[in-house]
Amino acid sequence: SGYLTMAETITIKSVRDIELMRQAGKITAAARSIARQAVADGVTTKQIDKHVHDFIVKSGAYPTFLNYCGFPASACISVNEEIIHGIPGKRVIRNGDIVSLDLGATYKGFVGDCAGTYPCGEISEEARKLIEVTRQSFFEGIKFAKEGYRISDIGAAVQDYVESHGYSVVRDYVGHGVGRKLHEAPEVPNYRPDRHSGHRPDPRLVRGMTIAVEPMVNIGGYEVKEMPNGWTVVTADGSLSAHYENTILITDGEPEILTMAEDI
């Protein structure tokens, strides 16, 4: 999620590119739905990852995350206070947990990337509200994913919505362009640019851009820490975190969500 150094150039997608992006997006969204349906008491994160892997391969695509910068699985599965990059393994999911599923599929050279946080059984009202606000903050952000606005308009809308509910937006990881690569320019922060924190490019949105918008929202503070495995990122204060992401296409009107599947 935007932790790599990216090329400065933003790639504008051709009509053919966009059609392949749509196909990659459909596979990715369906894989997220399958992963979500696999979330249940007593299931291991490794079992969910296998469902994702097998579905993507069966669909004629490749799991983008598998071996990406050395990541050992097809999905990032992050539970409760884990924000992103959770490595699937022996961990058993239990009723009351919230499970963030982040995955990608590469189809004919193009990538779809999406994520969502889902409940296991009965969860607390606090956790339910966090998931709801995180998901809605994505939709608040993409109201500004139109020609003429800037990347920062998306992040400002996400931040304002999240903070109006008393939560915080993760600063250390951001959304990104997506296309032939999982991470392309531009970076897409989920917060308003801080003029004092150094310059970050803030391009205008133009049709043919494809970006992954992915709010990561914590109940507590926005500070994070990386676990010793070198991948998993957790909230510094141990509070719950949720994640929601879709790949979108900038058009001459409303943005088109390329990874939309029924996930409410």
Side-chain angles (χ1 to χ4, degrees), residues 24-39 48 51-53 55-56 75 99-105 113-118 135 138-139 213-214 243-247 257-264:
K26 276 183 186 158
I27 294 166
T28 311
R32 176 175 57 184
S33 293
I34 281 165
R36 173 186 174 238
Q37 288 158 21
V39 171
I48 297 173
H51 285 298
V52 169
H53 177 275
F55 175 81
I56 291 173
V99 184
S100 296
L101 307 165
D102 187 358
L103 49 98
D113 184 14
C114 66
T117 300
Y118 304 104
R135 187 178 189 279
F138 165 86
F139 290 99
V213 178
E214 53 174 320
H243 187 192
Y244 188 75
E245 172 186 25
N246 284 304
T247 300
I257 301 176
L258 302 178
T259 50
M260 204 63 207
E262 190 52 57
D263 65 353
I264 296 169

Side-chain angles (χ1 to χ4, degrees), residues 14 29 74-75 83 89 102-103 114 158 169 185 192 205 216 244 260:
S14 69
S74 298
I83 303 168
D102 187 358
L103 49 98
C114 66
V158 170
V169 169
R192 187 176 276 99
L205 297 163
M216 292 153 263
Y244 188 75
M260 204 63 207

Side-chain angles (χ1 to χ4, degrees), residues 172-206:
D172 294 55
Y173 299 87
V174 297
H176 49 90
V178 60
R180 288 186 181 276
K181 295 179 182 165
L182 176 58
H183 292 105
E184 297 184 351
E187 292 195 339
V188 185
N190 298 300
Y191 51 90
R192 187 176 276 99
D194 179 355
R195 288 186 175 81
H196 307 296
S197 63
H199 176 69
R200 186 195 290 274
D202 187 20
R204 285 199 186 278
L205 297 163
V206 297

Side-chain angles (χ1 to χ4, degrees), residues 17-70:
D17 294 345
I18 288 165
E19 190 44 50
L20 292 173
M21 290 283 294
R22 285 191 183 108
Q23 292 176 52
K26 276 183 186 158
I27 294 166
T28 311
R32 176 175 57 184
S33 293
I34 281 165
R36 173 186 174 238
Q37 288 158 21
V39 171
D41 186 63
V43 170
T44 67
T45 53
K46 186 71 180 169
Q47 285 171 306
I48 297 173
D49 181 69
K50 186 172 186 333
H51 285 298
V52 169
H53 177 275
D54 292 352
F55 175 81
I56 291 173
V57 170
K58 188 181 77 181
S59 302
Y62 180 81
T64 314
F65 292 12
L66 186 59
N67 301 318
Y68 184 79
C69 297

Side-chain angles (χ1 to χ4, degrees), residues 91-234:
R91 180 169 186 165
V92 177
I93 292 166
R94 293 297 181 201
N95 279 332
D97 287 342
I98 63 172
V99 184
S100 296
L101 307 165
D102 187 358
L103 49 98
T106 304
Y107 179 77
K108 294 188 177 176
F110 285 89
V111 176
D113 184 14
C114 66
T117 300
Y118 304 104
C120 179
E122 290 294 312
I123 61 171
S124 68
E125 178 59 24
E126 186 179 45
R128 187 196 62 76
K129 188 185 165 202
L130 173 69
I131 289 173
E132 202 175 89
V133 168
T134 303
R135 187 178 189 279
Q136 186 57 33
S137 73
F138 165 86
F139 290 99
E140 296 298 324
I142 69 164
K143 288 176 182 176
F144 297 90
K146 297 178 187 175
E147 283 197 303
Y149 287 106
R150 291 191 180 274
I151 285 287
S152 61
D153 294 318
I154 297 173
V158 170
Q159 180 182 9
D160 288 348
Y161 184 79
V162 166
E163 291 180 355
S164 76
H165 287 84
Y167 301 141
S168 62
V169 169
V170 169
R171 302 288 201 277
D172 294 55
Y173 299 87
V174 297
H176 49 90
V178 60
R180 288 186 181 276
K181 295 179 182 165
L182 176 58
H183 292 105
E184 297 184 351
E187 292 195 339
V188 185
N190 298 300
Y191 51 90
R192 187 176 276 99
D194 179 355
R195 288 186 175 81
H196 307 296
S197 63
H199 176 69
R200 186 195 290 274
D202 187 20
R204 285 199 186 278
L205 297 163
V206 297
R207 73 189 76 177
M209 284 173 65
T210 45
I211 58 175
V213 178
E214 53 174 320
M216 292 153 263
V217 178
N218 301 343
I219 283 183
Y222 61 73
E223 297 81 8
V224 307
K225 63 181 182 185
E226 193 179 272
M227 299 306 284
N229 67 24
W231 281 103
T232 310
V233 178
V234 301

